[in-house]
Amino acid sequence: MKKQNNSKLRIIPLGGLESIGMNITAFEYGDSIIVVDCGLAFPEDDMYGIDLCVPVITYLQDNIERVKAFFFTHGHEDHIGALPYVLLEVNVPIYATKLTMGLIEHKLEEHDLLDKVRRKVVSYGQHINMGDFRVEFIKTNHSIQDAAALAIYSPAGIVVHTGDFKVDYTPVYGDAIDLQRFGEIGKKGVLALMCDSTNAERPGFTMTESTVGKVFDSIFADHKTQRIIIATFASNVDRVQQIINTACKFGRKVVVEGRSMVNIISIASELGYLDIPDNTLIEEDYMKNYPDEKMVLITTGSQGEPLAALSRMANGTHKKVRITPNDLIVFSSNPIPGNEKAVSRIINELYQKSADVIFQDTHVSGHACQEEIKLIYSLLQPKYSIPVHGEYKHRKAQAQLAATLGIPKDRILMLDSGDVLEIDEESAEVVGTVPHGSVFVDGLGIGDVGNIVMRDRQHLAEDGIIIVVLTLESGSGQLLAGPDIVSRGFVYVRESESLMDEAQQVVNEAVYRMVDRHITDWGKIKSEIRDALGDFVWKKTKRRPMLIPIIMEV
């Protein structure tokens, strides 16, 4: 890796810096581009009908001949979820640890891409040479197994990207974070640290995952006669392991509910990341053969997702599980910012069914708090700090933390998605921007719903629609039928007959005015109907429904 004349390392975050999700960052030096992570974001409440949001990758498409590979830090959706969509445009090799690759391969199989993509499973400590880069995978802890930080070696210097991490000295499975390796890399001299900011506002240390096991033990001991339903993140394999351990200890059978939960447990079991004793798991259909005190359900829906298994149980639409007063529901997660209302709604519905609910002290975060972030900074001693992963307030909290550790403010770089940062030992500056943002996935359509369509959907959701239909005679422009008015989502017609009669009269007058003046231009007729009806509706209701005149010619 020889340093090229006047060449600096470019760091280009294409997503993940304004919100939780859609993490993807390009690193560029000379003729080589590598990409770290490729995540999706879930839609906001006002994105009607949208299933997923994936990042805009125009820059990668425009430089496709220089893109060498994707490297993944761990297997959460906000880091791997967009990959099947992005690979359709940028098909390059993939490097990831064992469980992360198992989850990626499941996605590729669903999208019929498994045989079309080159993949390599990487071990901790392994170095991958890729063009002008060398990438090393370093063991970290997170709420999913096989998480890794990446040391990215370039001729301009070493950049360490932590991925999502915490420092857990007593993990449920596997080894603790490799702090020794962080220290060794720190001694080599680190140009920049890109560190997880999710919990940067929280003082102290994140508790170890194994403490949750003790909480489960006491919950099971205190509720021996009830059926226990535990909602958690599907990807938190260690949490699932602890639930299974406690269930076995108390002689209970386990049912797994929710598609993503079933998929991840199956993949983790096959790869040896879950130890499930024989005859512990049973199919949902056999639940009726066991009394409540012998049953545990592990389910999705801890974030109040409307279609997840727990939501369907709570609102009574689940086909096989009915909530009863003898149920205890445990939320083993914290609401992700923005999901608080949805979680609260589910809890209220469960209480209304007379079930017991526990939603405190049954979760620990997978992200580093302030003391762990300080530890990583102290070990690496980076020249520059680049806070990543989180909303702006989270990243700002890390920036303030970095300043207290002695990093000069002009070396703490608060980037935005799309920024092009040029960096080397002498300087670091944003020299431009590249296209960035979200592509909406709706059903099988990728990108066919854009901002204009979203604006229409919001308009329809807020004010409804009125359609005016009329038939004109070809040539003469005489009115043959109509105008008829149809409305949806505006007012309930049967209870607003006088309003609709007046609206009909307004449209009639507008149409007859045009006919009397022998105007046959459809555009003018539609415009006149829109203006007249729009003014009338606004005066009467202070609403602006979408108005669509339809003219048929005979």
Side-chain angles (χ1 to χ4, degrees):
M1 293 193 298
K2 290 181 182 174
K3 184 158 185 174
Q4 300 178 16
N5 290 337
N6 301 321
S7 193
K8 295 186 177 185
L9 173 65
R10 286 178 148 209
I11 299 175
I12 309 168
L14 296 172
L17 293 189
E18 289 75 32
S19 59
I20 306 287
M22 212 159 71
N23 298 292
I24 176 170
T25 307
F27 294 81
E28 179 180 336
Y29 189 92
D31 290 330
S32 303
I33 296 174
I34 60 169
V35 185
V36 171
D37 290 333
C38 187
L40 56 75
F42 292 103
E44 304 284 338
D45 288 344
D46 60 352
M47 294 180 182
Y48 302 101
I50 299 303
D51 300 319
L52 311 166
C53 305
V54 299
V56 169
I57 51 155
T58 309
Y59 186 74
L60 300 181
Q61 290 171 271
D62 292 346
N63 295 278
I64 185 72
E65 71 288 344
R66 298 196 289 139
V67 181
K68 305 296 182 188
F70 283 101
F71 293 86
F72 290 92
T73 58
H74 66 285
H76 279 157
E77 289 294 316
D78 58 334
H79 293 260
I80 68 171
L83 186 61
Y85 305 99
V86 170
L87 284 173
L88 297 173
E89 307 295 336
V90 182
N91 191 340
V92 294
I94 295 167
Y95 293 86
T97 49
K98 189 174 170 187
L99 179 59
T100 309
M101 188 64 82
L103 297 169
I104 287 172
E105 286 178 345
H106 178 73
K107 285 188 168 300
L108 298 182
E109 201 168 5
E110 283 184 334
H111 288 258
D112 199 26
L113 289 169
L114 198 54
D115 299 331
K116 299 167 187 166
V117 181
R118 285 174 55 206
R119 311 176 300 283
K120 181 167 174 54
V121 174
V122 182
S123 306
Y124 293 121
Q126 196 170 344
H127 292 244
I128 308 295
N129 290 306
M130 196 56 63
D132 288 308
F133 292 97
R134 175 160 54 89
V135 180
E136 176 186 354
F137 282 69
I138 307 165
K139 167 77 180 166
T140 58
N141 304 125
H142 186 41
S143 56
I144 188 171
Q145 277 305 320
D146 273 13
L150 303 177
I152 299 164
Y153 300 81
S154 78
I158 303 171
V159 176
V160 175
H161 189 302
T162 65
D164 288 355
F165 84 102
K166 71 175 181 178
V167 175
D168 194 339
Y169 300 113
T170 55
V172 172
Y173 177 98
D175 300 323
I177 182 171
D178 191 351
L179 295 174
Q180 180 183 339
R181 186 59 190 153
F182 279 97
E184 289 165 357
I185 291 170
K187 287 192 171 69
K188 293 173 193 254
V190 171
L191 178 64
L193 170 60
M194 303 177 74
C195 182
D196 177 11
S197 307
T198 311
N199 276 356
E201 294 175 307
R202 296 188 189 177
F205 291 88
T206 302
M207 289 176 69
T208 173
E209 175 65 35
S210 54
T211 58
V212 180
K214 294 170 187 162
V215 176
F216 283 141
D217 283 356
S218 61
I219 288 173
F220 276 56
D222 292 344
H223 298 84
K224 285 182 176 170
T225 61
Q226 290 175 282
R227 181 172 64 171
I228 299 176
I229 299 171
I230 302 177
T232 189
F233 295 111
S235 57
N236 197 334
V237 174
D238 285 355
R239 189 71 47 81
V240 171
Q241 181 69 69
Q242 293 190 98
I243 297 167
I244 288 169
N245 292 348
T246 306
C248 290
K249 201 182 292 183
F250 285 84
R252 291 180 181 248
K253 299 292 184 186
V254 177
V255 168
V256 178
E257 180 51 50
R259 181 169 160 264
S260 57
M261 186 73 80
V262 170
N263 286 340
I264 288 180
I265 287 179
S266 145
I267 293 164
S269 301
E270 283 171 27
L271 297 175
Y273 290 86
L274 259 182
D275 177 23
I276 306 176
D278 292 344
N279 302 318
T280 300
L281 287 186
I282 63 167
E283 293 293 326
E284 214 175 21
D285 292 334
Y286 296 109
M287 266 195 311
K288 57 183 180 292
N289 299 340
Y290 296 88
D292 284 355
E293 64 268 19
K294 292 292 180 189
M295 284 305 314
V296 177
L297 275 79
I298 307 175
T299 179
T300 54
S302 64
Q303 295 300 305
E305 307 95 313
L307 297 178
L310 185 64
S311 296
R312 288 182 283 121
M313 292 176 201
N315 62 31
T317 59
H318 196 284
K319 289 179 181 173
K320 294 179 180 172
V321 182
R322 288 274 176 274
I323 299 295
T324 72
N326 199 41
D327 285 335
L328 169 71
I329 294 88
V330 179
F331 282 78
S332 187
S333 67
N334 282 340
I336 293 168
N339 290 351
E340 293 88 351
K341 273 188 181 175
V343 173
S344 185
R345 189 189 69 245
I346 301 286
I347 291 171
N348 284 326
E349 287 177 343
L350 293 167
Y351 274 137
Q352 283 165 2
K353 290 185 161 52
S354 301
D356 289 335
V357 182
I358 294 175
F359 50 87
Q360 290 170 327
D361 303 324
T362 56
H363 176 65
V364 297
S365 176
H367 298 272
C369 289
Q370 289 180 357
E371 294 305 315
E372 294 146 275
I373 293 171
K374 285 184 194 174
L375 175 58
I376 296 299
Y377 270 91
S378 302
L379 289 169
L380 292 173
Q381 296 288 319
K383 185 164 190 173
Y384 295 97
S385 162
I386 308 173
V388 294
H389 294 178
E391 298 170 9
Y392 195 88
K393 62 173 185 163
H394 302 133
R395 295 191 297 120
K396 190 68 182 171
Q398 188 189 143
Q400 289 164 348
L401 214 56
T404 66
L405 295 169
I407 296 181
K409 287 194 174 172
D410 61 339
R411 292 192 194 161
I412 300 170
L413 308 168
M414 294 291 288
L415 302 183
D416 295 318
S417 292
D419 282 351
V420 178
L421 174 70
E422 283 196 350
I423 186 169
D424 64 8
E425 286 291 342
E426 279 74 51
S427 66
E429 63 174 329
V430 174
V431 296
T433 58
V434 301
H436 64 283
S438 301
V439 176
F440 299 139
V441 178
D442 185 356
L444 296 176
I446 306 166
D448 55 349
V449 173
N451 290 333
I452 293 169
V453 174
M454 285 311 303
R455 202 161 59 235
D456 283 349
R457 288 185 182 184
Q458 285 160 6
H459 190 176
L460 289 166
E462 287 162 9
D463 295 306
I465 184 171
I466 297 177
I467 301 170
V468 179
V469 185
L470 57 146
T471 305
L472 299 178
E473 186 177 43
S474 178
S476 71
Q478 286 300 307
L479 185 67
L480 296 182
D484 296 316
I485 297 179
V486 179
S487 96
R488 290 290 182 273
F490 168 55
V491 291
Y492 186 50
V493 174
R494 288 183 184 172
E495 292 176 2
S496 308
E497 288 178 1
S498 63
L499 175 68
M500 295 310 284
D501 288 343
E502 286 180 63
Q504 181 80 51
Q505 191 59 39
V506 168
V507 173
N508 288 348
E509 287 170 7
V511 171
Y512 287 128
R513 273 199 306 275
M514 303 300 277
V515 170
D516 290 346
R517 286 156 56 195
H518 304 293
I519 291 173
T520 56
D521 181 335
W522 286 14
K524 283 186 180 173
I525 297 171
K526 287 181 178 181
S527 180
E528 181 75 19
I529 292 171
R530 241 187 244 114
D531 290 347
L533 186 56
D535 289 347
F536 167 77
V537 168
W538 174 252
K539 281 175 189 162
K540 287 288 185 180
T541 66
K542 289 293 181 281
R543 299 182 208 165
R544 295 198 187 279
M546 186 179 285
L547 303 175
I548 302 182
I550 298 173
I551 300 175
M552 292 179 285
E553 195 174 48
V554 176

